[in-house]
Amino acid sequence: MIKGQQLVNALDNSEGVVFITEADGTIVFVNKTFEKVYGYNRDEVRGKKPSILKSGFHSRQFYDELWQTISAGKSWSGDMVNRTKSGEIVSEKTFISPVFSDDDSTITGYIAVKFNISERKKLKEQLEIREQLFEKLFENSPVGILILDDIKSEGEIIDFTVERANLKASVIFNRLSFIDQRLSSVMCNKNIAGLMKEHKTVQHGEEVYEWEDMCKGKVLEFKLFGLGRNKKCLLVTDISPKVKMESRLKESEARLRELNETKDKIFSIIAHDLRSPFQTIIGFASLLSDGMDSCSSTELKKMAAQISDVSEQTYKLLEDLLTWSKSQLGQLSPVPVKVNLKEIVEKVFCHLRQQADKKNISLINDISEADVAKADKDMVEFIVRNLVHNGVKFTTPGGEVRCFTEREDGYIRIRVKDTGIGIQPAKQKGIFSLSGNLSTKGTSEEAGTGLGLMLSREMVEMNNGRIAVESEPGKGSCFTVVLPEATF
Ligand code: ADP
């Protein structure tokens, strides 16, 4: 048998609050835990009723039912909210059992055991708050979230089942339901295992998989990480607007750079290319006016020829500048007509024959009457003139510039081939742009601006064509312009 003091010791060491009352509810014993929880000492509560602990939280009916149960000889258990001596509220799981006389005929008292559940309740409440918070974040997240279950084969993850997906994921993947779908059926790239292998990183000791991919016309950013117990979380962000913005920024940066180059080019043309021919013209003109009588007719002829050459170059430069300013202002719009290429080349040759003859360069027109392109006539003339002019400029005396065509699938290739000095491979790349095109002097020191090929490319493209160059230094160059063949 347990002795009385042993029982008191055992009850004192119990984690639960224990108190014993007489049949009318008068407290006869409370354990140490009671003293600790409620702040009353034993002597204070002995002889009092448990009602001293009432918090006012429960209704009268609650206490009536409790009392009816235990006074009928039954045990009662339930959650109870009480108040300590200092007024603090405690939540307790309470068990009350009646104590019977030896012959079980009457109730001699009651024994109540209570366990403080305030902490547990608080934790539960916190957990509920967190769950609600998670739900709110999950559903309102601007990022698509998918909760996944691993599907393994021979220990390796091969795919996932979608357990949950939020609203944003529905918007991104443009589908209403994900539940029990395989991730591979949702994604555009079906090779999930391959993606994971390729994009594995370790962050804070955990495996994380991050990659970008195109799906349904959008650029998506993915981040996959473990949640423990064969579960993973996949975050999906639609970065298309960001990518678009970046490409717009890049475009406007390139445009600004181009404008800056344009500005530099204009200043360099004004400072150099326009100034020096005028200096030459003014110099020769004053020589002519001052010494007309003392100069021999050969000298006079030479001076007049120089003035004519320089004026010719300056006129071409002004023409190029005018065309360029039109193209910069968006005023160049092609009017496609039937263009007889043989006629155009003949017209250009006529214009450049004198220059070619001076260098003893043959101009050969191998184009047939049947070669008719669909393009703007003035633009084609501008392009061909530039190419033939360059051919003459960069070919040494005795050489030739030949124009011929090839037809292919509704297109005509116009080739302008010279036997000149050729172009270094490094220079060929940027030859049709303003930035990559450095003008060099011709074989007879002819000056240039570096505008001709850039403008020619712009015009070719406006006429739905292409321009390209093949060249070997020392052997010559061949420029090809591809234009649509006229079918009307
Ligand atoms: P420009 O002839 O006024 O300098 P272009 O844009 O027509 O301007 O040509 C740019 C440069 O490309 C030339 O200065 C020259 O260095 C090179 N180039 C063009 N055509 C030829 C060619 N047929 N042979 C050799 N170099 C050429």
Side-chain angles (χ1 to χ4, degrees), residues 316 386 390-391 393-394 418 421-423 427 431 437-440 448-454 477 479:
K316 182 184 179 301
N386 261 287
N390 278 345
K393 215 161 107 179
F394 297 102
D418 64 55
I421 55 171
I423 307 161
K427 183 166 178 158
I431 204 161
N437 185 1
L438 283 178
S439 176
T440 52
T449 56
L451 288 177
L453 289 180
M454 187 263 296
S477 310
F479 283 82

Side-chain angles (χ1 to χ4, degrees), residues 25 123 212 255 264 282 313 356 384 397:
L123 280 176
E212 279 178 20
R255 178 89 192 117
D264 290 350
I282 292 166
Q313 278 171 27
V384 174

Side-chain angles (χ1 to χ4, degrees), residues 64-80:
D64 285 350
E65 278 170 14
L66 184 162
W67 190 245
Q68 273 166 21
T69 309
I70 57 174
S71 58
K74 289 183 207 142
S75 292
W76 181 93
S77 72
D79 289 347
M80 222 175 196

Side-chain angles (χ1 to χ4, degrees), residues 26 64 104 121 125 142 152 155 186 204 223 241 253 256 277 303 313 319 329 363 368 391 396 411 440 449 455 464:
T26 309
D64 285 350
D104 281 345
K121 253 195 157 162
E125 270 169 23
K152 288 185 177 171
V186 173
H204 310 295
K223 184 169 183 170
E253 197 191 315
L256 279 176
M303 277 191 252
Q313 278 171 27
E319 257 189 333
L329 293 169
L363 299 178
S368 99
T396 40
Y411 284 90
T440 52
T449 56
L455 284 170
N464 304 316

Side-chain angles (χ1 to χ4, degrees), residues 185-242:
S185 73
V186 173
M187 306 259 290
C188 293
N189 188 335
K190 312 277 176 226
N191 182 9
I192 308 289
L195 278 173
M196 289 176 73
K197 214 170 268 170
E198 207 181 319
H199 299 286
K200 183 166 135 183
T201 55
V202 176
Q203 292 174 13
H204 310 295
E206 301 228 8
E207 283 175 6
V208 174
Y209 310 85
E210 286 176 289
W211 70 95
E212 279 178 20
D213 211 351
M214 286 289 295
C215 191
K216 309 212 162 148
K218 295 172 187 159
V219 187
L220 302 180
E221 192 178 69
F222 295 89
K223 184 169 183 170
L224 179 74
F225 52 89
L227 296 174
R229 277 182 292 146
N230 294 333
K231 282 198 189 302
K232 301 260 181 309
C233 178
L234 178 65
L235 303 180
V236 192
T237 318
D238 181 0
I239 55 167
S240 315
K242 191 177 116 194

